[in-house]
Amino acid sequence: MTTRLVADAVLPCDGSGVVHRPGALDFGPDGRITRVGPVSEPAGNESTPDGGEWTVHRVGGLLMPGLINAHSHGPMTLLRGQGEGLPLDRWLHEVIWPREARVGPDDVYWGMTLAAAELLRFGVTTSVEMYFHDDLLAEAVDAAGSRCLLAPGIVVAPGWDRFGSWADRIEWTLRLRDRYADHPRIEVGFGPHSAYVLPDEALVAIGEAARAAGAPLTVHLAETEHEGDEVSARHGGATVAQVLADLGVFDVDRVLAAHGVWLTQKDVALLADHGVAVAHCPSSNAKLASGTAAVPALRRAGVPVGLGTDGPASNNDLDLWEEMRLAALFARMQERDPTVLPAAEVLDLATGGGAAALGRPDLGVLAPGRWADIVRLDLADPGFVPVLSDDDLAAHAVWSVSRSAVRDVWVGGRQVVRDGECRTIDVAEACRRVQAAAARLAQ
């Protein structure tokens, strides 16, 4: 059965600037969009062009693509708020890694379940997740009905030896990739944490494995000013970006570098030449005083840029609307130019631009052939008043409407949030489980 959603406005986020007021969106039983445009018949349940049937829902509000969180560690809801006020290196070594060494599979399942509830209620339909106990993480995503690029973390750090060597993690990633090869919402790639926690031989092997498998790869890069000093020293002063390129990591078809705060101009050109994308995480970078990525310079160089929250232990939420506003504010401060990153471009960072950063042309835009990942915003929200032109809808969505305006969410045509409530997750149970686990991990 083909479903039609009829709304007061449809914002495709396809780069054209077109807004359909009123508008309609059709998707088929396979969860793919078949039409986006002005309202037209059918007004009832007559046959579709292929002889099927219609179901028409007059939902009102504003329809737009589901948001894409290009960098997250969702199960870290377990550690939300822990280690406040510490710089990144102390935060990891003194608080996070010791507690993560005690995190079990059940903890990851419930931590990701709670994260999925938060993401979906905020209109985030896709996230890029790097963590461990990855099979349980995937099960939580599957049960929630959300979409995920899962990149099992490959780390040489305290507590990670219980997962075997870095070579074992490569094999594990390949097995998990085979398991989810035909899954419509879960894609598995490689997650080497960073150059500063992995030996060169591991980075070479991971790059080779990702290329051979045709798998995406995501890696932390240039998050803090001095994190790569030892790596650079071992390589004659080369930047970490250059080291990763020399080791073949950037030769993988789809590479997503998280953060990219401390990139040189040559690094930016290097990323552009290799087609490497950047996941910009303004809240986390600001909270840890790491700095902020030069998003306008990256975009001018042709580097695809998406938005990420980072983990809920360093942000401390999964609100991509906040990331949109901060991305625009920080960019304008950097450039001293109030015209930088207008609202439509900011929305693109969280939708179509995020899809491009992931190398996923099937996501991020309301257009035929793409997945029906859809968010409905309530135009009765005071932040949407007044609307005097189509451009106001995008501007208000970025600057004045809070995440509470998200009322309904569909992933692949399946409604997972209705009137602000998750339909697929027992949120109270997830909260109870995460609270108990966090108390145990803190002991």
Side-chain angles (χ1 to χ4, degrees), residues 69 71-74 77 80 114-116 118-119 122 124 129 309-312 315-321 323 403:
N69 187 341
H71 183 64
S72 176
H73 310 281
T77 52
R80 196 193 315 255
L114 186 61
E118 189 171 344
L119 289 163
F122 296 170
V124 180
E129 301 292 345
T309 58
D310 209 353
N315 185 301
N316 293 355
D317 61 30
L318 295 167
D319 182 358
L320 216 61
W321 300 95
E323 305 303 326
R403 64 201 188 195

Side-chain angles (χ1 to χ4, degrees), residues 67-351:
L67 306 184
I68 295 173
N69 187 341
H71 183 64
S72 176
H73 310 281
M76 293 182 80
T77 52
L78 296 158
L79 304 170
R80 196 193 315 255
Q82 306 309 299
E84 290 290 325
L86 294 176
L88 180 62
D89 57 344
R90 289 187 59 196
W91 181 75
L92 287 172
H93 286 89
E94 297 176 19
V95 180
I96 299 302
W97 284 344
R99 295 189 188 192
E100 284 184 332
R102 300 192 293 275
V103 169
D106 198 51
D107 299 328
V108 168
Y109 179 87
W110 287 108
M112 188 63 222
T113 297
L114 186 61
E118 189 171 344
L119 289 163
L120 290 174
R121 290 197 298 182
F122 296 170
V124 180
T125 52
T126 300
S127 64
V128 178
E129 301 292 345
M130 179 192 292
Y131 214 57
F132 52 85
H133 292 310
D134 318 284
D135 47 348
L136 275 299
L137 193 161
E139 287 183 19
V141 169
D142 193 24
S146 53
R147 194 179 301 281
C148 177
L149 169 55
L150 173 59
I154 305 177
V155 183
V156 177
W160 282 78
D161 52 352
R162 71 191 191 277
F163 303 115
S165 66
W166 56 260
D168 294 328
R169 289 292 282 171
I170 291 175
E171 293 303 315
W172 164 251
T173 300
L174 290 171
R175 292 197 300 273
L176 198 65
R177 183 170 168 81
D178 287 342
R179 185 187 308 179
Y180 285 93
D182 298 321
H183 199 285
R185 290 181 288 104
I186 298 174
E187 181 182 19
V188 178
F190 284 82
H193 181 277
S194 58
Y196 63 84
V197 298
L198 288 168
D200 291 353
E201 60 179 332
L203 293 168
V204 170
I206 294 166
E208 291 175 346
R211 285 195 301 277
L217 180 151
T218 185
V219 60
H220 294 85
L221 174 64
E223 180 176 2
T224 60
E225 185 174 8
H226 298 294
E227 68 185 30
D229 286 355
E230 292 185 8
V231 177
S232 295
R234 292 199 311 268
H235 289 267
T239 65
V240 175
Q242 184 64 61
V243 170
L244 291 173
D246 292 343
L247 296 176
V249 175
F250 288 172
D251 293 334
V252 176
D253 284 342
R254 295 159 57 197
V255 179
L256 179 62
H259 302 291
V261 173
W262 292 92
L263 297 171
T264 67
Q265 290 183 348
K266 289 185 177 180
D267 289 339
V268 172
L270 186 70
L271 266 58
D273 288 344
H274 285 79
V276 175
V278 168
H280 177 40
C281 305
S283 288
S284 177
N285 294 155
K287 188 170 186 290
L288 293 171
S290 301
T292 187
V295 172
L298 289 165
R299 286 167 62 87
R300 285 193 294 266
V303 176
V305 179
L307 285 181
T309 58
D310 209 353
S314 64
N315 185 301
N316 293 355
D317 61 30
L318 295 167
D319 182 358
L320 216 61
W321 300 95
E322 181 179 57
E323 305 303 326
M324 281 191 264
R325 284 187 284 272
L326 288 178
L329 291 171
F330 291 170
R332 294 177 183 194
M333 288 288 287
Q334 279 184 326
E335 302 273 309
R336 297 188 179 185
D337 182 353
T339 68
V340 168
L341 285 187
E345 292 185 18
V346 178
L347 279 176
D348 179 70
L349 291 177
T351 55

Side-chain angles (χ1 to χ4, degrees), residues 321 324-325 328 342-344 346-347 393-401:
W321 300 95
M324 281 191 264
R325 284 187 284 272
V346 178
L347 279 176
L393 292 172
H396 294 341
V398 170
W399 292 113
S400 58
V401 176

